Amino acid sequence: SAASDVYKRQILMTTYLVVALVILVINGDRQRLTETLKGLNQQLQERVAEQADELDQAQAELAKTALSITEAIPVGTYTMVLPPDEEMAYFSFMSERFLQISGLDRETASSDPIKSFAFVHPDDREAWIALNAKTFAQKISFYAETRVIVEGEIRWIRAESVPRDLPDGSTVWEGALTDITETKLYEQQLQAANAEIRAINQTLEKRVKERTAELEESQAQFQRLVEDIGSNFVIFSHSGTDGIVNYASGGLESVFGLTKAQVLNHSWAESVQWLPEDAKQTQMSLMRILDEEIQQFEMRFTHPTGELRTVKVLQHAVKGENNQLIAVEGIIENITERKRRITQLAASELKFRTL
């Protein structure tokens, strides 16, 4: 390759010069040796100068490339330098994007750092200056968000930088400036939406509480109505085919002679001494209850006092989504006295007819 050829030529040239110098030393030709060394020194100085120029050009190209990359990214970049024994750093570099985001001009920002803070919103400026002063005093990383005014428009920026010590005792902060206006607008819209949702929820909660109170009052009124329906009536609800009673109104003790503790969570068959033939009729009725809107029938049982009583039952099925039986609800009326009077009336009529 070309690089390899240049390297080989340099090796050969160096070898030739070394050999030539050795010959001159051996022959004792000091004058020619001196002239040769002077020539070599001149060539060396010229070569060093050429290499220095090449290095400067490479560094300039590298700096140009770095600047191009810096200007191409969507954030502004900057450096601030704090000299030894100073309290306020100054801008040593500001990218074009930095100036666009901040709305500053390069001359103003470079001449006086305090003037560069003028673009910060008046309500945020004091806190922004204080945070910068703290950063410079403690030589710590900087991170903050604030409002700025750019061309009469309020915008939001985020600045962040990290410190680095320089050999001369100065400290440099290299950082980035980002326009976060769109993000802040979205956050504000989100906060407004959340506030609206909270207001709606509060209104709904209020309405739910009011409606719940109304329903509780209605339920209480219904409960009072059920409990006060009369001593000859029992409103009930049981689980269905197994007949486990989960509700019975206050007439239970008057009609059946049983307390709620004796009936609730037990089946009707266990709690009440039904006549066997009537209990069988009830089981047959339950088998048909899903097909009938309302069932009505009479049943007889033995009261704890030994009295034979008769009740009239009206009940209906509570069905689930798939038409399955969930519960049976209804009302029981004690018709024992009515049945006794009908029997007595029938007996009197029969006796009158036989006279």
Side-chain angles (χ1 to χ4, degrees), residues 257-328:
L258 301 171
T259 64
K260 289 188 177 182
Q262 292 175 298
V263 174
L264 295 181
N265 299 319
H266 296 83
S267 69
W268 277 123
E270 295 174 354
S271 304
V272 182
Q273 296 183 22
W274 305 104
L275 296 188
E277 58 270 29
D278 291 357
K280 184 177 180 180
Q281 174 188 341
T282 302
Q283 290 297 323
M284 293 179 64
S285 297
L286 282 174
M287 295 175 62
R288 302 190 307 269
I289 196 167
L290 288 173
D291 300 324
E292 298 177 358
E293 185 173 352
I294 295 179
Q295 290 185 334
Q296 178 177 323
F297 51 87
E298 294 180 1
M299 294 189 68
R300 292 167 296 171
F301 68 95
T302 301
H303 192 272
T305 60
E307 178 187 7
L308 181 64
R309 291 190 175 185
T310 305
V311 293
K312 180 179 180 181
V313 181
L314 277 83
Q315 64 183 24
H316 68 92
V318 179
K319 304 176 184 178
E321 293 182 356
N322 299 321
N323 203 42
Q324 77 275 20
L325 181 61
I326 295 178
V328 174

Side-chain angles (χ1 to χ4, degrees), residues 18 45 51 68 84 99 103 115 120 124 127 129 139 151 164 191 200 214 218 230 232 234 242 247 253 265 289 303 318:
V18 171
Q45 289 179 354
Q51 290 180 343
S68 298
L99 296 174
K115 290 182 180 180
V120 177
D124 300 346
I129 294 175
K139 296 183 179 180
E151 297 181 354
R164 178 168 59 87
Q191 290 172 357
I200 293 174
E214 292 174 358
S218 297
N232 281 334
V234 177
D242 53 6
Y247 175 77
E253 188 166 357
N265 299 319
I289 196 167
H303 192 272
V318 179

Side-chain angles (χ1 to χ4, degrees), residues 78-81 135-136 139-143 159-166 171-176:
Y78 66 94
T79 57
M80 295 191 77
V81 178
T135 301
F136 299 145
K139 296 183 179 180
I140 57 178
S141 297
F142 181 87
Y143 179 93
E160 47 191 323
S161 61
V162 292
R164 178 168 59 87
D165 293 331
L166 298 180
T171 304
V172 59
W173 279 264
E174 296 159 326

Side-chain angles (χ1 to χ4, degrees), residues 15-27 32-34 36-37 40:
T15 303
Y16 169 75
L17 290 173
V18 171
V19 172
L21 289 173
V22 170
I23 293 173
L24 289 174
V25 171
I26 291 173
N27 293 335
R32 290 187 63 188
L33 178 61
T34 301
T36 301
L37 289 175
L40 288 175

Side-chain angles (χ1 to χ4, degrees), residues 37-267:
L37 289 175
K38 288 182 178 179
L40 288 175
N41 184 53
Q42 180 66 30
Q43 292 178 9
L44 180 61
Q45 289 179 354
E46 292 175 354
R47 182 56 183 162
V48 169
E50 290 176 359
Q51 290 180 343
D53 290 340
E54 292 174 358
L55 181 60
D56 289 342
Q57 292 177 4
Q59 289 178 337
E61 288 295 327
L62 182 61
K64 184 178 179 181
T65 301
L67 182 60
S68 298
I69 295 173
T70 299
E71 297 295 352
I73 60 179
V75 299
T77 55
Y78 66 94
T79 57
M80 295 191 77
V81 178
L82 179 68
D85 302 324
E86 293 288 339
E87 295 182 355
M88 184 62 66
Y90 64 88
F91 284 106
S92 61
F93 170 77
M94 292 167 286
S95 68
E96 289 296 329
R97 181 61 179 152
F98 174 91
L99 296 174
Q100 292 173 5
I101 293 174
S102 65
L104 296 171
D105 64 86
R106 193 178 300 277
E107 183 179 355
T108 301
S110 300
S111 63
D112 188 350
I114 295 297
K115 290 182 180 180
S116 68
F117 294 147
F119 77 111
V120 177
H121 192 284
D123 294 343
D124 300 346
R125 192 175 301 152
E126 184 177 348
W128 183 261
I129 294 175
L131 183 58
N132 275 270
K134 177 182 177 181
T135 301
F136 299 145
Q138 300 181 8
K139 296 183 179 180
I140 57 178
S141 297
F142 181 87
Y143 179 93
E145 297 177 355
T146 190
R147 292 172 295 174
V148 297
I149 301 178
V150 179
E151 297 181 354
E153 179 184 2
I154 297 178
R155 302 190 68 80
W156 279 87
I157 62 166
R158 178 193 299 125
E160 47 191 323
S161 61
V162 292
R164 178 168 59 87
D165 293 331
L166 298 180
D168 65 355
S170 300
T171 304
V172 59
W173 279 264
E174 296 159 326
L177 190 72
T178 308
D179 187 333
I180 59 171
T181 305
E182 295 299 326
T183 301
K184 285 295 183 179
L185 289 176
Y186 173 76
E187 289 177 356
Q188 291 171 1
Q189 292 171 356
L190 185 61
Q191 290 172 357
N194 287 335
E196 185 176 354
I197 290 173
R198 285 194 296 271
I200 293 174
N201 285 339
Q202 290 174 355
T203 301
L204 288 176
E205 288 176 3
K206 181 180 178 182
R207 291 179 180 176
V208 168
K209 288 180 180 179
E210 292 174 350
R211 183 56 180 160
T212 301
E214 292 174 358
L215 291 174
E216 288 176 350
E217 178 59 26
S218 297
Q219 184 176 4
Q221 292 177 355
F222 176 75
Q223 186 69 26
R224 288 193 296 269
L225 176 63
V226 167
E227 295 297 332
D228 297 340
I229 195 171
S231 59
N232 281 334
F233 296 90
V234 177
I235 294 177
F236 70 91
S237 174
H238 66 72
S239 58
T241 53
D242 53 6
I244 301 298
V245 180
N246 47 55
Y247 175 77
S249 64
L252 180 68
E253 188 166 357
S254 175
V255 174
F256 291 99
L258 301 171
T259 64
K260 289 188 177 182
Q262 292 175 298
V263 174
L264 295 181
N265 299 319
H266 296 83
S267 69

